[in-house]
Structure formats: structure tokens, C-alpha cells
Amino acid sequence: MHKVLDINHYLQDGFYRIADVEPQLGNATKWNFINQHPDLYSEHRCWVYMIVDGNEVVKIGETGQPLGIKKKYDDQPQITTECRFGRLRGAGGKDRNMDGTYTDTDMRIREELQESVSRGTVSIYAKHCDERVIEDSIGGKPMSIVLKANKNMEVQIIAYMRFHARLPILNQSGK
């Protein structure tokens, strides 16, 4: 594995472990998050994240949503489209492409990592990205506009990985 695909290469940049992943009891196609960092339930809405198998970054993504929204009755994120790791944990349909892979990104990720999750080698890391508010106008009306760095940061990391090695195995494109 090339060093740019090793999670340890990005710890200096502010990535840190948010949770480890295990299969949900009774449903191996859904995930539970253990060893949770408190930021899993932060209200912040500007993140870049990496899914890691062992030390290898296998997926990089970004979100403009909270990482997780805590359920009232247990310690897992709600399976909802309102938080990134809730979708990753268990959302998605069962529709398949001609080659048998899932059409839904989250289902495809869970399917590809099912064996690794069963072995206990999958973790999720994240980096808190900056947001800035600028004052501008639209149609002559003053407005506050929030600028978020998550999408640009993801694109820059993907370009860096592609230049020095390759895309992570679960990233289908460089955006």
C-alpha cells in the first residue's frame, strides 16, 4: 500500500477516528458504530471523512450534514438521510446494476466491506472543515452566505491521492 492510502498519513492534517464499525446484530448488511468519538453527534455540518480498512483508506467523502443524529433509545446514529453516517450505517435500497452490484452508494460500500466489518478492521475517520459567512447581495438584497470547505477539501485530497498513487478502491470517480 502506498503511503498516501495509509490513514496515518492524514492524522497530521486533522483527521481522527470517529468510530469503529461492527455488523449490526442479526443483520450483517447494516452497521453499528462502536468506540464512538463524541463528535459523531456534533451539530457541525462541514466534514471530510475517510472509511478505513486496517490502515488503508478505501473511501473518501464529504458531507454538509451532521455525521450522526443520536437515536433516543440506543447509542447509534439514526438511519436517516439527515446525517451522513446514518445513511452509511443502514440506508439504501436493494436495487442492483447489471453486474450485480448495488445501485445505492451506501449499500455498495457496506456490501464491499462486509467481510472486513465482520473481521473488525473497519473504522471511520473525519476532519472538521471550516465554514465562513460572507455578506453579499442578490438582486440588491443583502444576504449572509455560508461558504463551506468540505467539497473543495475532498476534491483536493482525491487529486493528491490520484497524483501520488490511485483513488481509494471504493471511490468510483475523482469528482
Side-chain angles (χ1 to χ4, degrees):
M1 168 180 55
H2 195 282
K3 72 177 184 176
V4 301
L5 296 170
D6 187 326
I7 187 59
N8 293 302
H9 189 66
Y10 300 96
L11 300 180
Q12 66 188 344
D13 300 325
F15 280 89
Y16 56 98
R17 187 186 314 243
I18 294 295
D20 297 318
V21 180
E22 68 179 11
Q24 185 178 30
L25 189 60
N27 189 346
T29 63
K30 294 192 178 184
W31 291 357
N32 277 344
F33 296 119
I34 58 172
N35 305 321
Q36 298 175 1
H37 189 283
D39 284 350
L40 176 58
Y41 301 109
S42 167
E43 293 182 13
H44 186 68
R45 295 176 167 266
C46 190
W47 300 91
V48 176
Y49 65 89
M50 294 181 180
I51 302 173
V52 177
D53 186 358
N55 284 336
E56 182 180 353
V57 175
V58 294
K59 170 78 172 142
I60 182 166
E62 60 79 23
T63 186
Q65 297 178 315
L67 297 177
I69 298 172
K70 193 169 189 159
K71 293 195 305 192
K72 294 178 182 171
Y73 55 87
D74 71 16
D75 67 345
Q76 294 298 310
Q78 293 177 16
I79 295 176
T80 175
T81 58
E82 295 174 11
C83 61
R84 180 63 192 108
F85 293 171
R87 289 193 325 269
L88 184 59
R89 188 176 157 247
K94 299 206 182 268
D95 295 332
R96 293 183 183 254
N97 295 312
M98 296 288 283
D99 64 1
T101 60
Y102 287 103
T103 57
D104 178 82
T105 298
D106 299 313
M107 286 288 292
R108 182 179 56 81
I109 291 168
R110 289 194 306 275
E111 178 183 63
E112 292 287 328
L113 294 175
Q114 192 167 2
E115 281 185 36
S116 296
V117 167
S118 294
R119 286 192 309 267
T121 61
V122 176
S123 299
I124 301 178
Y125 287 72
K127 177 181 178 168
H128 185 279
C129 295
D130 287 339
E131 296 177 290
R132 292 199 176 99
V133 177
I134 63 166
E135 300 302 322
D136 210 328
S137 66
I138 297 176
K141 182 177 177 166
M143 304 200 86
S144 295
I145 300 168
V146 179
L147 304 177
K148 295 183 174 193
N150 51 311
K151 290 180 181 182
N152 289 330
M153 179 65 74
E154 178 199 26
V155 167
Q156 292 299 315
I157 294 169
I158 286 172
Y160 174 81
M161 289 176 163
R162 179 185 278 151
F163 180 78
H164 291 287
R166 62 171 171 76
L167 287 175
I169 60 172
L170 297 178
N171 281 85
Q172 293 185 325
S173 70
K175 286 201 174 183

